[in-house]
Amino acid sequence: MKDYQFGKDGWTPDRITDVKDKTFLITGTTSGTGYEAARILLAKGATVVMLNRNNTKAANTIATLKQEVGDTVNVSNIEMDLASLASVRKAAAEVLKTVPRIDALMLNAAIAQVPQQQLTVDGFESQLGVNHYGNFLLQGLLFPLVEQSNGRIVTVGSEGYKMGIKTIQFNDMNWDHNYNPNSVYSQSKLAQIMTTYELQDRLKKAGKTNVKTYACHPGASRTSLIKTSGSLMTRFMWQLMKLSPFVQSAENGAYPELMCATEPDLDQTAFYGPTGRNYWTGPVGECTLEPHAKNKEVMEQLWKVSEEATGFSWNL
């Protein structure tokens, strides 16, 4: 499907204006699309609060950003590990105490294709724990400040949501009996996307129209995602892929989340990303979302399960 909403070249950061008084919270900014999103927003004069688990890497990232964009950029980091609910709670408390507003919470961090089943400290399968439960809790805890700021929540999903079993394996969320790196990654990304649209429905029902939530995907981008968590074979194949024309730069991969964080009057019910072949690369615009990603019954059950798992109830 070709989308010419933003012209034949699609959406680009040239469209970002008036962000000098805005604050963006971005998870996972030490490399890849998160880094590029932070860099572009800082270059436009925005304030960026990064959320990363590694303080040393975060400090190096801040130094690099200041070198690239300018010493006066307003960028800081709050330590947070999405694999630990306690860490997410601590980081959210720090945000609420020190950050006066959130114009967009950009849920960019993720892990992918973990070769063998690993559990988080809370006992969740790691990909579901990091990509879904950690983000579910973070959104919930920061929602009051996002609402107060008339802000947005942007979820960076993945075209991987189309793979695997195309639903949520509720009878074995940790995949104890049939663990498969790709299927579990697919489920974790589907869960993230479903949460976006379920939250839209709940906000609408509660009459809260001042908060907007968006789902997007980065296409196939040259990032370290596979390198840091995939199996040896997956990493090898991905290194070869990255040399091909089917993969785009991390900067281009950041465009969909930047669009969702800044573009006025975007349709919340749509799914955004590169619109070229297989949605891997190409002009950024609206992509077709497979119907299973909006299965209402599954979305509602997932929400209930997620509230129980994280010990957090959204009060809308």
Side-chain angles (χ1 to χ4, degrees), residues 44-74:
K44 300 276 185 180
T47 296
V48 171
V49 179
M50 315 188 307
L51 295 163
N52 294 289
R53 65 185 173 184
N54 186 320
N55 280 335
T56 308
K57 277 188 178 176
N60 292 339
T61 300
I62 289 174
T64 307
L65 286 166
K66 288 189 169 181
Q67 215 176 342
E68 282 201 19
V69 188
D71 259 348
T72 56
V73 293
N74 196 343

Side-chain angles (χ1 to χ4, degrees), residues 122-189:
D122 303 293
F124 307 132
E125 184 284 316
S126 62
Q127 296 186 78
L128 191 70
V130 169
N131 300 350
H132 173 60
Y133 288 140
N135 282 311
F136 183 87
L137 179 61
L138 183 66
Q139 291 175 75
L141 292 169
L142 296 182
F143 181 81
L145 185 54
V146 176
E147 184 182 21
Q148 196 184 302
S149 314
N150 298 320
R152 303 176 176 203
I153 298 173
V154 178
T155 292
V156 180
S158 162
E159 277 291 285
Y161 84 92
K162 295 174 176 175
M163 328 253 263
I165 59 172
K166 299 192 179 183
T167 187
I168 306 297
Q169 188 171 277
F170 290 114
N171 64 346
D172 180 10
M173 293 291 276
N174 279 356
W175 294 65
D176 290 328
H177 304 293
N178 57 340
Y179 185 83
N180 173 283
N182 295 321
S183 298
V184 177
Y185 174 67
S186 173
Q187 177 182 256
S188 73
K189 284 299 178 179

Side-chain angles (χ1 to χ4, degrees), residues 218-223 244-254 256 274 280-282:
S221 306
R222 293 185 190 97
T223 71
S244 79
F246 304 118
V247 177
Q248 61 185 0
S249 68
E251 179 180 341
N252 283 55
W280 283 4
T281 59

